[in-house]
Amino acid sequence: MSGLSRRGLLCSGASLAIASALSSPAQANRAVPQAEQLRPLLHLHTRRKTSLDGKWRYILDPYDAGRRGDNRRRTFWRNFTPPLTGPLVEYDWSASPEMVVPGDWNSQSPELLWYDDPIYYRRDIVGAAVSGHRKVLAFEGANYHSQLWLDSKAIGQHEGGFTPFAVDVTEALADGAAHGLTVAVDSRHHPEAVPTDYTDWQNYGGITRSVWLVDLPPTYIADWFVRLDGETVRIDVELAGAAVAGQRVAARLGGLRLEGRTQTNGKVTLAARRSPRLALWSPEKPTLHELRIESAGDSIAERIGLRTIATRGRELLLNGRPVYLRGIAMHEEPIGPVGTRRMSEADARRLLGEAKALGCNFVRLAHYPHSEATLRLADELGLIVWAEIPVYWEHIRYDSAHTLALARSMQADMIRRDRNRCSIALWSVANETPITDARNAFLRTLIADARALDPTRLLTAALNKNVDVGGAEEGTSVFTVTDPLGADLDVLAVNQYEAWYSERTPDQLKEVSFTTPYDKPLMFSEFGADALAGHRGPREHLWTEDYQAWLFAETLEMVERTPGCVGLSPWLLKDFRSPRRWHGRYQQFWNRKGLIGETGQRKLAFEVLRAHYAKLASR
């Protein structure tokens, strides 16, 4: 099987409609036209829903045969029964193997570890008809391109590996019988994809997050956004469905009661002065309040925190007071000997628990939107969050209209999904991107979009330092952050790997300093070195825990000397799978910059950073 590694009905806040039907999957691995891009049903965690998780049948298609014309022998989505006397059909769903959803395919079979081609999934779904209600098929995430058929009819497609999407299937399920659902997931990335096919993490393919069949009443609460504006609590509410105008909307947040009526577009903003009993959220006291919204026979309930985040010159302010971000970066990959994208709530809690054990009050969720469950846990545990979309490295097509539209869609879906999570303080628009006119225009569009969707949070991007990604030349000692994008951001962040991707040794970091002409907060969004867990030796030897710990100690001293620095998120919490890490002895296709190994073993640098954060917290 080693030869297999050859190397997306539209749901918006206001409406649900069947997407344009597609006659065949011939376009599936190309850029998805925006008119056909499925959008999410928001706030899945509050909905009345039935899980479609579990075992699904699957068929590998390593030669992409299903896309090569409408040939009966390989039209997997049609579910032809193989006849004994012909005509010939070369597949049989009833005899196909099973795979667990949610979960990437790479970790479920050794033969699929490096598989990067289409896989077709299939299962039956049943939706009992309820008068006036809608049935919506909702995916929390599938990587990278997804195309859906119900009873052999194409119902939509989605591009993007980390944002949710949904499709209205009410009419198809009206009879209450079992209906065949086929989903083709293709993990390959085309040149205009986000990200492209060159990343520093495993491209885990498959239906990687949960799938739901959601029940919606005739008029339902489609979206809400709770925020603190000075001392005023504001709640934007949007209804969708049959009768949205003039509906009474009532909300309770803790002991606070708010009420109003929707406009003709189904929207209303409720506002009231914050009661002193509504304590503010902070890492030290992550207070959450019960929110309940009711309207038109529908209701939602969730837990919400209130806080403010702002800048003042080179200070970062949480609830009006200076805050220092004691952070760590992390991928969405659980602790364990086998790399996987499947992240249970228990897995997320264990990872965030390791961040808390480090003394962190901050996590950078790299390099894509992590699951809703992870964000809700950050609210609960008191961890400030940096969230980002995978506009990553210089390979993005910054001059492509499709790529820009895709990035805007991804960012909008992330922000609308997560803007009620009080833990999120920073939206990041990019990581290590080149300074060009096309890139500047691209990212400024994303910045403007983010500010329009969520004016309550700060904007940042992980900017470059190293020469191999377009940064400063070797031998420079004073690094000045002058990226023109800095004028558009609220917080400047820089990735730097001095004494790893440079010729310096850690003791020479005493010569290095960072500065910026912008009167804005500065933070270090990445630094680090690879170390194989358990490998010890002289501190001068690369790949040892000793070298990594030495580099951390010297870098932390440099960070403390940096004026206007408001925090750091070293790279990173845990080792993770990466096919571009080739060293046969020390890496073996893992990025080893974690402070803990893939099985959970803490390295020496973990204690170095923990002691540093304990010192900072005591000041």
Side-chain angles (χ1 to χ4, degrees):
M1 292 288 285
S2 61
L4 294 176
S5 56
R6 297 178 294 108
R7 258 306 7 121
L9 160 110
L10 181 65
C11 290
S12 67
S15 66
L16 294 168
I18 295 292
S20 301
L22 305 171
S23 60
S24 78
Q27 303 297 318
N29 195 37
R30 302 179 186 176
V32 176
Q34 284 299 301
E36 297 170 358
Q37 175 84 335
L38 296 179
R39 303 303 297 274
L41 176 67
L42 301 174
H43 313 298
L44 284 174
H45 63 289
T46 69
R47 305 292 184 186
R48 188 187 319 171
K49 57 191 184 294
T50 301
S51 174
L52 297 179
D53 293 351
K55 291 183 178 180
W56 294 45
R57 299 281 185 181
Y58 73 94
I59 293 175
L60 302 183
D61 189 14
Y63 291 99
D64 216 358
R67 308 183 202 276
R68 301 176 187 270
D70 194 356
N71 188 311
R72 178 186 183 93
R73 289 187 292 121
R74 54 180 180 253
T75 49
F76 311 118
W77 60 95
R78 296 195 188 280
N79 191 27
F80 286 128
T81 300
L84 295 177
T85 59
L88 180 65
V89 176
E90 290 193 274
Y91 65 92
D92 183 351
W93 277 111
S94 68
S96 296
E98 293 179 322
M99 183 180 296
V100 175
V101 170
D104 60 275
W105 61 59
N106 311 86
S107 63
Q108 296 198 46
S109 170
E111 292 84 1
L112 298 178
L113 176 60
W114 304 118
Y115 186 81
D116 194 25
D117 282 296
I119 286 185
Y120 288 74
Y121 293 80
R122 187 175 179 88
R123 64 157 293 158
D124 286 343
I125 60 173
V126 179
V130 179
S131 178
H133 283 226
R134 310 299 298 177
K135 292 292 183 182
V136 176
L137 180 63
F139 291 73
E140 293 190 25
N143 186 43
Y144 168 77
H145 176 278
S146 303
Q147 187 163 359
L148 287 64
W149 296 263
L150 193 60
D151 294 333
S152 304
K153 293 182 180 180
I155 57 174
Q157 57 182 321
H158 180 264
E159 181 177 350
F162 303 98
T163 48
F165 55 96
V167 54
D168 190 319
V169 293
T170 305
E171 280 68 33
L173 302 184
D175 57 7
H179 296 266
L181 171 64
T182 305
V183 184
V185 182
D186 190 342
S187 59
R188 295 173 298 175
H189 292 237
H190 57 84
E192 295 180 296
V194 179
T196 63
D197 60 355
Y198 189 49
T199 64
D200 189 16
W201 68 83
Q202 172 81 347
N203 184 39
Y204 292 108
I207 304 175
T208 56
R209 296 177 184 162
S210 289
V211 187
W212 306 95
L213 188 60
V214 184
D215 180 87
L216 296 176
T219 301
Y220 63 96
I221 303 167
D223 194 10
W224 56 93
F225 178 24
V226 182
R227 63 198 187 280
L228 195 56
D229 182 6
E231 286 300 309
T232 299
V233 175
R234 300 192 187 277
I235 307 178
D236 295 335
V237 180
E238 182 178 355
L239 303 186
V244 300
Q247 294 283 358
R248 175 180 173 271
V249 179
R252 296 197 305 273
L253 182 61
L256 193 65
R257 295 176 179 268
L258 307 91
E259 187 174 319
R261 287 194 177 273
T262 58
Q263 304 169 36
T264 56
N265 61 3
K267 297 179 180 180
V268 63
T269 296
L270 311 178
R273 187 169 181 81
R274 181 177 71 92
S275 162
R277 290 182 297 175
L278 283 175
L280 298 181
W281 180 96
S282 69
E284 295 74 29
K285 293 183 178 180
T287 306
L288 300 176
H289 306 282
E290 298 297 325
L291 170 70
R292 187 171 183 86
I293 303 175
E294 298 177 331
S295 184
D298 193 20
S299 65
I300 66 95
E302 69 166 321
R303 303 171 73 205
I304 293 291
L306 297 173
R307 57 101 190 97
T308 62
I309 189 77
T311 64
R312 182 176 59 200
R314 299 198 175 198
E315 291 182 307
L316 183 63
L317 306 177
L318 179 68
N319 299 328
R321 297 183 177 182
V323 62
Y324 191 88
L325 301 178
R326 308 186 307 271
I328 195 70
M330 56 179 273
H331 267 288
E332 190 175 44
E333 192 176 286
I335 295 171
V338 178
T340 178
R341 180 66 71 229
R342 182 178 185 179
M343 176 80 79
S344 69
E345 185 171 327
D347 291 326
R349 188 178 291 277
R350 184 179 179 190
L351 275 177
L352 295 179
E354 289 286 357
K356 292 289 288 186
L358 265 174
C360 293
N361 63 3
F362 170 63
V363 287
R364 178 186 175 198
L365 301 183
H367 284 294
Y368 38 75
H370 289 217
S371 71
E372 280 191 88
T374 296
L375 273 301
R376 293 199 301 277
L377 282 172
D379 283 0
E380 173 192 323
L381 295 172
L383 286 164
I384 301 168
V385 168
W386 160 321
E388 63 188 57
I389 59 172
V391 176
Y392 178 86
W393 286 0
E394 67 270 26
H395 312 287
I396 293 286
R397 285 285 304 276
Y398 299 102
D399 59 349
S400 163
H402 172 80
T403 306
L404 177 58
L406 180 57
R408 295 179 75 183
S409 175
M410 286 183 181
Q411 179 177 259
D413 291 348
M414 174 184 71
I415 291 175
R416 295 183 68 225
R417 189 196 74 172
D418 295 334
R419 61 186 175 180
N420 286 311
R421 304 279 67 83
C422 58
S423 52
I424 299 179
L426 296 162
W427 299 122
S428 173
V429 297
N431 177 79
E432 292 183 2
T433 56
I435 301 173
T436 66
D437 290 343
R439 167 267 203 176
N440 294 343
F442 188 106
L443 297 185
R444 283 170 178 152
T445 299
L446 294 181
I447 289 169
D449 284 355
R451 293 199 190 282
L453 285 164
D454 181 7
T456 71
R457 288 180 173 85
L458 304 176
L459 275 295
T460 191
L463 306 175
N464 285 336
K465 175 266 155 189
N466 288 80
V467 65
D468 63 331
V469 287
E473 292 295 333
E474 189 65 54
T476 304
S477 294
V478 179
F479 298 102
T480 305
V481 181
T482 58
D483 192 313
L485 197 69
D488 303 271
L489 301 172
D490 300 307
V491 176
L492 306 179
V494 61
N495 292 356
Q496 65 84 19
Y497 286 92
E498 284 298 297
W500 188 248
Y501 299 127
S502 76
E503 296 180 3
R504 284 191 173 90
T505 53
D507 57 318
Q508 293 174 324
L509 289 174
K510 294 178 175 61
E511 309 165 1
V512 174
S513 62
F514 283 78
T515 185
T516 180
Y518 294 111
D519 187 27
K520 297 183 178 185
L522 174 68
M523 63 176 295
F524 290 90
S525 40
E526 290 184 27
F527 65 82
D530 284 68
L532 179 62
H535 179 50
R536 301 294 305 275
R539 71 176 191 175
E540 294 81 11
H541 287 191
L542 301 180
W543 307 105
T544 62
E545 287 191 30
D546 307 79
Y547 186 92
Q548 185 189 47
W550 183 29
L551 181 145
F552 261 72
E554 298 288 350
T555 303
L556 292 172
E557 287 189 12
M558 182 198 70
V559 170
E560 285 212 271
R561 298 194 304 267
T562 303
C565 181
V566 297
L568 61 157
S569 55
W571 195 255
L572 84 169
L573 182 63
K574 183 196 78 75
D575 292 353
F576 61 96
R577 273 279 187 191
S578 179
R580 66 185 295 272
R581 299 295 172 171
W582 310 280
H583 201 294
R585 179 177 300 133
Y586 302 120
Q587 293 173 310
Q588 297 176 317
F589 306 114
W590 291 81
N591 187 309
R592 299 292 189 187
K593 293 184 182 66
L595 297 185
I596 60 178
E598 67 270 23
T599 60
Q601 180 181 345
R602 294 177 179 178
K603 305 176 190 177
L604 291 177
F606 186 102
E607 178 57 29
V608 172
L609 186 61
R610 190 209 63 78
H612 180 73
Y613 283 166
K615 180 182 70 174
L616 293 179
S618 68
R619 290 178 178 173

